[in-house]
Amino acid sequence: MLLDKKIPLKYIANKVKYDLLVVLLIGLVTNVLTQKSFRYLPEMPLSIPAFLGTAISILLSFKMNQSYDRWWEARKVWGAIVNDSRSFVIQLQSLLGRDETDLIRKLAYRQIAWCYSLGQSLRGLDPVEGVGHLLSETDQSYIKTHLNKPLALIQLNARDIRDLRSNNRLEIFPHLQLDNTLVRLVDAMGKAERINGTVFPATYRHFLHFIIYLFVVTLSIALQDVRIIFEIPLLLVISVGFFLIEKSAYHLQDPFRNRPSDVSVTAIARTIEINIRQLLNETDVPEPAKPNEFYIL
Amino acid sequence: MLLDKKIPLKYIANKVKYDLLVVLLIGLVTNVLTQKSFRYLPEMPLSIPAFLGTAISILLSFKMNQSYDRWWEARKVWGAIVNDSRSFVIQLQSLLGRDETDLIRKLAYRQIAWCYSLGQSLRGLDPVEGVGHLLSETDQSYIKTHLNKPLALIQLNARDIRDLRSNNRLEIFPHLQLDNTLVRLVDAMGKAERINGTVFPATYRHFLHFIIYLFVVTLSIALQDVRIIFEIPLLLVISVGFFLIEKSAYHLQDPFRNRPSDVSVTAIARTIEINIRQLLNETDVPEPAKPNEFYIL
Amino acid sequence: MLLDKKIPLKYIANKVKYDLLVVLLIGLVTNVLTQKSFRYLPEMPLSIPAFLGTAISILLSFKMNQSYDRWWEARKVWGAIVNDSRSFVIQLQSLLGRDETDLIRKLAYRQIAWCYSLGQSLRGLDPVEGVGHLLSETDQSYIKTHLNKPLALIQLNARDIRDLRSNNRLEIFPHLQLDNTLVRLVDAMGKAERINGTVFPATYRHFLHFIIYLFVVTLSIALQDVRIIFEIPLLLVISVGFFLIEKSAYHLQDPFRNRPSDVSVTAIARTIEINIRQLLNETDVPEPAKPNEFYIL
Amino acid sequence: MLLDKKIPLKYIANKVKYDLLVVLLIGLVTNVLTQKSFRYLPEMPLSIPAFLGTAISILLSFKMNQSYDRWWEARKVWGAIVNDSRSFVIQLQSLLGRDETDLIRKLAYRQIAWCYSLGQSLRGLDPVEGVGHLLSETDQSYIKTHLNKPLALIQLNARDIRDLRSNNRLEIFPHLQLDNTLVRLVDAMGKAERINGTVFPATYRHFLHFIIYLFVVTLSIALQDVRIIFEIPLLLVISVGFFLIEKSAYHLQDPFRNRPSDVSVTAIARTIEINIRQLLNETDVPEPAKPNEFYIL
Amino acid sequence: MLLDKKIPLKYIANKVKYDLLVVLLIGLVTNVLTQKSFRYLPEMPLSIPAFLGTAISILLSFKMNQSYDRWWEARKVWGAIVNDSRSFVIQLQSLLGRDETDLIRKLAYRQIAWCYSLGQSLRGLDPVEGVGHLLSETDQSYIKTHLNKPLALIQLNARDIRDLRSNNRLEIFPHLQLDNTLVRLVDAMGKAERINGTVFPATYRHFLHFIIYLFVVTLSIALQDVRIIFEIPLLLVISVGFFLIEKSAYHLQDPFRNRPSDVSVTAIARTIEINIRQLLNETDVPEPAKPNEFYIL
């Protein structure tokens, strides 16, 4: 997640450098074609690029909307994970017997591991890295055989809860209540995977780029009478605005790519760990995640 | 689902070839009417097509929005199917006795079959093709008499769960908990059918096309003084932008038509199969679905 | 629901014939006032109607959005009715004893009758027409005294379920589970009635029409120098675009008016009947509803 | 709620009379400043007001959207109240013993009183006016001490249900089922209060008015060459369009102010009364609420 | 929350003073560059700033939308807190024994404390200030060790409810019902924290500002022929409109910052306190929160 700090120019420039080069090239070529005593280019009334610019704003606005919605939905899903992780532990403490603290700790640690593991798996990183100390050896070897590690972790929690019940240490109703919480966690996991795995309609993006370039070409032709020292910067600043917004949207729409604009799943998982450990009355809790220069992951 | 890869030009060109031909024709006819010493056409101030172009962007933006929402809703429904299929199996393992593994497998396989069958039935394909090995002979002959195969499969699962209960192998509360999951699956099925069976307001599309052509005609008249070698390409590139976006929207709005832009229901069903088989501790799981050239179905 | 077929021109023309006559009149009057040697009309810069046209597109887009949302919400409500009707029967079969088939049929038939009756009552038609054969004589005479027939039908189902329970043929938990389904059906009914009974802010529509006419007047004045043979058709085609979209929106916003653009509640109720009858293992099921020329009701 | 009838011009004119006077004044002052041989005013290119007009449409569209959403949400909340009131009575009849008809009537009447009382309290009217005959004397004196009368009524219903249970006339599960319905009613009440008590961002409205006036000023300057007999009416009709839409939005956004554009809570409460009385098998039900001239409250 | 009162000009001016200074500077610099006999600046057709102005309106409209949605979502969350706090107390009174009034009071007071504490913690203020009299000493020292005080308070309520159950003063089903309410409260808390902790995509804001300044620069160049005494005010009033709306959006998007535009969490918590105390039949209730000059916190 990008913080509300000064965002380095380098980060922003990096996003659009290739597009700006193309715009620069278009400006120069147009200039050559018009200035060099032969005039290859037609008169272009300014209303053509002006209306194209309006059209781009509208289409960009749609894109920004949907991308923002995906990002916000992803953030909501992780918000639900925070809530259900907390509720899960409070429910365990409330519904299980007072002498089940060991089991509660085991389930709670697995829940913490699930959060870290899901975050890393969404980002395409190793889903078991750094969660070893939260899991027993048996657990670790069990999930090794599974393609979807977080799903296997939930299955293990469900299994332990069933065993409690088989041993008559849990009644059927609290069992079902905990089952409801697990269902919600499976839901949240699936929702995050859905956002991660669904490609935003790719053609739309191509058409948008196409229209932005069309805008640049028509604008540069329309401005052929303006001196090149004013025309090129004008072309660049107007088009950089469009490209930057398009890139922002592009980055928002895939919020689990290990990029600065990601939903900060590691930091959220850390918050969950702190909350859960404090609910377990542990005093030795880790520090909240520290932001990088201008973002937090 | 179109992937984030290079989409073949042929695929894109195919979408709009007829519309472009019409635009080309309009451009030529306008030219003939103006150039041939007799001037049949009036002066057309450029603000007319310019404002029409803005209007088209706005109306297109509405269309894109609603189409995207249908597509995304369809994707959400299939996300819910993933989640509830997983939860269903985890619940069976958690709520049924430890010695019910055979029955759990039977129900889980039927659930896999349901996913494939629903996907094919939505696409208008044979809903029982390739699901035979997941179903018993009795099941196969039972669903044969039903118009809505997936609904019949859920009924069979509901029936088996009821029988468990009649034989006192299941208590009433887990019975109801599983019933809730079945209700959610019936919901998801009905939602996908709703999106599939509801025609997007057809008149809107016709009017939009009408206005795009009106734009092309007025623009070509307004540009009558521009040389034909510049005018025709300009007409084509501007209108192709509009037509492409309209076609994208058109394809998104019906996401179960066996087209490259479909929601990838077969691939999703495959993921569910892999997840469920691993939850059943099977080691022989199928491969994830492979994408075609630039899309996955 | 309008189908994705060729929609007869007559149907479309009927929607806007009065508005077009007014536009024609405005064009002619303007012409008379400008041509007849005396010039009553001022110079009107084209940017006035151009910006009005943009404004209309934006306001129209809002209207289209909200109208579409109402229509889609209505369709969703009927989708929920499909889902809960199916679930209701599956639940009856799953939760009631095996020897309750007669009662299950009675309740299921009443549910079918409820669907037809609700659809007709929303459309302002006779809510008991054609549902007689699905109800007992007692039922028919009971609902006769009620203003809201569908509500009375749900009450009858609730009553029969309670009687089951009083006679110890149903436990309390399945009773509550079925009650939840009835609550959802009451919800769906109320939602459809809400959409049907709530007038879309009427003033908005009037103001929109007012602005469209203002646009036509200013445009016709601005075009006073264009020959009448070009001006009038141009006025007509541009304004017909606006009026058609406005009319589409207007029809969408009230989806239960017995019009071609309605949500196809009769066809949906027929689908429910087919599904329920097949769930009851009946073989003699009715045909799916057949579409009319270009729509289905 | 405004009906789909002819809305009196007086009602509409009243909404914008002050704004129109200001516009008239601006037009006249501009005229004086330009015509009176001395020219105080600059040339104003028409594109300035034209783009401002477009900006206003866009900002107005946002406002219209959010206001409409508030109004529609308020209507949905009252739709939920209809549904839950009906369900509450059906549930009482289904879950309580057959000999509890007196108590059911008492609870049902209190529910009717709750609807009327909530509606009046939202509108800032006396929340107990006209509900006396639905409540016992004890009830009336109990709620007298409460600031929030509808909340007190729900507490009374909750208390009676608890007493049933203490006296073993109700099992725990139906108790919880009814509690769920009460929770939904508390939710609906709170949602309506939230919409009523939350001021729509006030600054936005001021800025919008500011921009509309800026538009009028620049437009009147830009049109200084048009004869005053055409200019003033043009200024008025364009600005009246904006002001009317802004006022519509303003009225929609606060739907419980005892205004013609309100959500018709009294009429809805009457419908609920009719439904509940018929569910109780009463034959002497009141008439549905009658609309006023062009609205219903 | 800003009230619907006269908002002091000072408050509004403060929001945009720096931006206006920059605009003033740009206007003067442009003037110097054009007037001083040497003409450094090119001809700038007015359609460039005009289309930029339209683009800004569109992009601003997106921003306003999302910011408003965040603010409204925050308000909804606090609405849910109102509802669930009320329901929690009604449920305690309905589900616990008649002789548990002391415990009910303890839990209810803790719930009031939770509301105040959550509000202050969201605003970055001391989360335990002023809630001491609502909590026992044990409670106060327990939450001292927790980073997240409101979460600790919910845990304490969950623990007391569990103890009730261990002592057989509460059945399992009411226990679960209350647990559901606690889960909803944990949800609401997490949602508010999510809105508070998630930075609105920061880059978008920078790009928007960038485009507004670009608009100002191009507009001031385009207006270089207008006399400075008209040009500068025109620049200022148009740009102030944009900046004010942007600032409104900026403030709305973070509704827990102890600013006048905040969601009024303290006033809401006070309302909850009054409602809960009256539900407990206390007569000595505090006054509703009083608004400041033009806002309420």
Side-chain angles (χ1 to χ4, degrees), chain B residues 40 45 47 55 66 142 146-148 155 162-163 165 173 175 179-180 187 190 193-194 198 204 207, chain C residues 4 46 57 64-65 68 72 75-76 83 86 91 93-94 98 171 173 177 230 248 278-279 281:
Chain B
Y40 275 125
S47 12
Q66 307 303 347
Y142 179 75
H146 277 253
L147 282 178
N148 192 326
Q155 192 189 22
R162 184 202 55 189
D163 289 349
R165 169 134 175 69
F173 307 103
H175 184 180
D179 180 61
N180 285 332
D187 270 13
E193 291 173 359
R194 160 171 57 81
T198 310
Y204 191 76
F207 304 155
Chain C
D4 208 356
L46 203 54
S57 315
M64 197 68 202
N65 248 308
Y68 178 85
W72 192 233
R75 184 62 190 80
K76 273 186 176 166
N83 303 347
R86 290 167 173 175
Q91 286 182 319
Q93 293 179 328
S94 179
R98 279 165 178 270
E171 287 175 82
F173 307 104
Q177 190 87 342
F230 291 117
S248 296
Q278 290 203 324
L279 288 175
N281 284 322

Side-chain angles (χ1 to χ4, degrees), chain C residues 120-137:
Chain C
Q120 282 165 280
S121 124
L122 288 169
R123 282 188 179 147
L125 307 174
D126 178 5
V128 295
E129 194 201 305
V131 303
H133 66 288
L134 294 160
L135 298 173
S136 71
E137 304 251 318

Side-chain angles (χ1 to χ4, degrees), chain A residues 65 91 98 171 230 278, chain E residues 40 66 147 163 165 179:
Chain A
N65 248 309
Q91 286 182 318
R98 279 163 178 269
E171 286 176 82
F230 292 116
Q278 290 204 324
Chain E
Y40 276 125
Q66 307 303 346
L147 282 178
D163 289 349
R165 172 139 173 64
D179 180 61

Side-chain angles (χ1 to χ4, degrees), chain A residues 41-260:
Chain A
L41 291 178
E43 292 294 313
M44 173 71 73
L46 202 56
S47 13
I48 300 279
F51 117 73
L52 283 175
T54 307
I56 291 168
S57 315
I58 294 166
L59 299 172
L60 214 45
S61 164
F62 160 75
K63 171 116 199 245
M64 197 69 201
N65 248 309
Q66 307 303 347
S67 299
Y68 178 85
D69 281 356
R70 273 173 77 119
W71 175 79
W72 191 235
E73 190 187 351
R75 185 60 190 80
K76 272 185 178 166
V77 168
W78 273 85
I81 287 173
V82 172
N83 303 345
D84 288 323
S85 300
R86 290 167 172 176
S87 292
F88 183 56
V89 176
I90 292 180
Q91 286 182 318
L92 287 173
Q93 293 180 329
S94 179
L95 301 175
L96 267 56
R98 279 163 178 269
D99 44 350
E100 302 285 10
T101 38
D102 282 352
L103 186 76
I104 290 174
R105 169 161 296 113
K106 188 180 165 194
L107 293 170
Y109 278 21
R110 227 187 248 135
Q111 179 60 26
I112 299 174
W114 180 84
C115 296
Y116 283 115
S117 175
L118 178 59
Q120 281 165 281
S121 124
L122 288 169
R123 283 189 178 147
L125 307 174
D126 178 6
V128 294
E129 196 202 305
V131 302
H133 65 288
L134 294 161
L135 300 173
S136 71
E137 303 251 319
T138 340
D139 285 9
Q140 294 188 46
S141 71
Y142 179 75
I143 66 174
K144 213 167 270 173
T145 63
H146 276 253
L147 282 177
N148 193 325
K149 314 293 186 205
L151 186 59
L153 285 172
I154 288 194
Q155 193 188 21
L156 286 173
N157 267 355
R159 194 175 287 177
D160 278 357
I161 292 170
R162 183 202 55 190
D163 289 350
L164 265 185
R165 169 137 175 68
S166 321
N167 305 335
N168 285 316
R169 286 152 65 196
L170 183 69
E171 286 176 82
I172 180 66
F173 306 103
H175 184 180
L176 297 179
Q177 189 86 341
L178 291 170
D179 181 61
N180 285 333
T181 305
L182 293 181
V183 166
R184 288 201 305 273
L185 289 167
V186 169
D187 271 13
M189 182 176 78
K191 283 175 180 170
E193 290 173 0
R194 161 172 56 80
I195 294 172
N196 207 31
T198 310
V199 181
F200 188 92
T203 48
Y204 190 76
R205 191 173 186 226
H206 298 315
F207 304 156
L208 194 53
H209 268 248
F210 170 77
I211 298 185
I212 296 182
Y213 282 118
L214 183 59
F215 164 78
V216 171
V217 171
T218 52
L219 183 60
S220 78
I221 301 178
L223 294 179
Q224 56 185 272
D225 293 331
V226 177
R227 260 180 298 162
I228 189 168
I229 206 166
F230 292 116
E231 185 207 336
I232 301 278
L234 190 63
L235 273 185
L236 285 177
V237 287
I238 296 184
S239 57
V240 80
F242 286 149
F243 282 119
L244 280 176
I245 290 177
E246 198 277 335
K247 271 280 157 43
S248 296
Y250 183 60
H251 281 185
L252 281 181
Q253 86 198 14
D254 292 311
F256 306 113
R257 289 285 187 279
N258 214 13
R259 284 188 299 223

Side-chain angles (χ1 to χ4, degrees), chain D residues 7 10 36 44 68 72 84 102 112 128 166 241 278 284:
Chain D
I7 291 171
K10 202 183 134 195
K36 286 256 184 185
M44 173 72 74
Y68 178 85
W72 191 234
D84 288 322
D102 283 351
I112 299 175
V128 294
S166 320
Q278 290 204 323
D284 184 25

Side-chain angles (χ1 to χ4, degrees), chain C residues 194-235:
Chain C
R194 160 171 57 80
I195 294 172
N196 207 31
T198 310
V199 181
F200 188 92
T203 48
Y204 191 76
R205 192 174 185 224
H206 298 314
F207 304 156
L208 194 53
H209 268 248
F210 170 76
I211 298 185
I212 298 182
Y213 280 118
L214 183 59
F215 163 78
V216 171
V217 171
T218 53
L219 183 60
S220 79
I221 301 179
L223 294 178
Q224 57 185 270
D225 292 332
V226 178
R227 260 180 298 162
I228 189 168
I229 207 166
F230 291 117
E231 185 207 336
I232 300 279
L234 190 63
L235 273 184

Side-chain angles (χ1 to χ4, degrees), chain B residues 7-283:
Chain B
I7 292 171
L9 205 65
K10 203 182 133 194
Y11 169 75
I12 292 178
N14 248 325
K15 284 179 158 192
V16 289
K17 58 188 174 195
Y18 295 114
D19 290 308
L20 286 192
L21 272 179
V22 177
V23 172
L24 184 61
L25 210 72
I26 291 175
L28 292 175
V29 166
T30 312
N31 219 266
V32 167
L33 288 177
T34 52
Q35 300 291 327
K36 286 256 184 185
S37 68
F38 47 82
R39 300 192 120 257
Y40 275 125
L41 291 178
E43 292 294 313
M44 172 72 74
L46 203 56
S47 12
I48 300 278
F51 117 74
L52 282 175
T54 306
I56 291 168
S57 315
I58 294 166
L59 300 172
L60 214 45
S61 165
F62 161 75
K63 171 116 199 246
M64 196 68 201
N65 248 308
Q66 307 303 347
S67 300
Y68 178 85
D69 280 356
R70 273 173 78 119
W71 175 79
W72 191 235
E73 191 188 350
R75 184 62 190 79
K76 273 185 177 166
V77 168
W78 273 85
I81 288 173
V82 172
N83 302 346
D84 287 324
S85 300
R86 291 168 172 174
S87 291
F88 183 57
V89 176
I90 291 180
Q91 286 182 318
L92 287 173
Q93 293 179 328
S94 178
L95 301 175
L96 266 57
R98 280 164 178 271
D99 45 348
E100 302 285 10
T101 37
D102 282 352
L103 185 76
I104 290 174
R105 170 161 295 112
K106 189 180 164 195
L107 293 170
Y109 277 21
R110 227 188 248 136
Q111 178 61 26
I112 299 174
W114 180 83
C115 296
Y116 283 114
S117 175
L118 178 59
Q120 282 164 281
S121 124
L122 288 169
R123 282 189 179 147
L125 307 174
D126 178 5
V128 295
E129 195 201 307
V131 303
H133 65 288
L134 293 160
L135 299 173
S136 71
E137 303 251 319
T138 339
D139 285 8
Q140 294 188 47
S141 72
Y142 179 75
I143 66 173
K144 212 167 271 173
T145 63
H146 277 253
L147 282 178
N148 192 326
K149 315 293 186 203
L151 186 60
L153 285 171
I154 288 194
Q155 192 189 22
L156 286 172
N157 267 355
R159 194 177 286 178
D160 278 358
I161 291 170
R162 184 202 55 189
D163 289 349
L164 264 184
R165 169 134 175 69
S166 320
N167 305 336
N168 285 315
R169 285 151 66 195
L170 183 70
E171 287 175 82
I172 179 65
F173 307 103
H175 184 180
L176 298 179
Q177 189 87 341
L178 292 169
D179 180 61
N180 285 332
T181 305
L182 293 181
V183 166
R184 288 202 304 274
L185 289 167
V186 170
D187 270 13
M189 182 177 78
K191 284 176 180 171
E193 291 173 359
R194 160 171 57 81
I195 295 172
N196 208 31
T198 310
V199 181
F200 188 92
T203 48
Y204 191 76
R205 190 174 187 225
H206 299 314
F207 304 155
L208 194 53
H209 268 247
F210 170 77
I211 298 185
I212 296 182
Y213 281 119
L214 183 59
F215 164 78
V216 170
V217 171
T218 53
L219 182 60
S220 78
I221 300 179
L223 295 178
Q224 57 183 273
D225 293 332
V226 178
R227 260 180 298 163
I228 188 168
I229 207 165
F230 291 116
E231 185 208 336
I232 300 278
L234 190 63
L235 273 184
L236 285 176
V237 286
I238 296 182
S239 58
V240 80
F242 286 147
F243 282 119
L244 281 175
I245 289 177
E246 198 277 336
K247 271 280 157 44
S248 296
Y250 182 61
H251 281 187
L252 280 181
Q253 87 198 14
D254 291 311
F256 306 114
R257 288 285 188 279
N258 214 13
R259 285 187 299 223
S261 51
D262 265 24
V263 167
S264 56
V265 292
T266 312
I268 294 173
R270 182 68 63 83
T271 305
I272 295 172
E273 179 171 6
I274 296 171
N275 290 156
I276 288 183
R277 285 184 184 274
Q278 290 204 323
L279 288 175
L280 296 172
N281 283 323
E282 297 188 9
T283 49

Side-chain angles (χ1 to χ4, degrees), chain C residues 32-104:
Chain C
V32 167
L33 288 178
T34 52
Q35 300 291 326
K36 286 258 184 185
S37 67
F38 47 83
R39 299 191 122 258
Y40 277 123
L41 291 178
E43 291 294 313
M44 172 71 75
L46 203 54
S47 10
I48 301 277
F51 116 74
L52 283 176
T54 306
I56 292 168
S57 315
I58 293 166
L59 300 172
L60 214 45
S61 165
F62 160 75
K63 170 115 200 246
M64 197 68 202
N65 248 308
Q66 308 302 348
S67 300
Y68 178 85
D69 281 356
R70 274 172 77 118
W71 174 79
W72 192 233
E73 191 188 350
R75 184 62 190 80
K76 273 186 176 166
V77 168
W78 273 85
I81 288 173
V82 172
N83 303 347
D84 287 324
S85 300
R86 290 167 173 175
S87 292
F88 183 57
V89 176
I90 292 181
Q91 286 182 319
L92 287 173
Q93 293 179 328
S94 179
L95 300 175
L96 267 57
R98 279 165 178 270
D99 44 350
E100 302 284 10
T101 37
D102 282 352
L103 186 76
I104 290 174

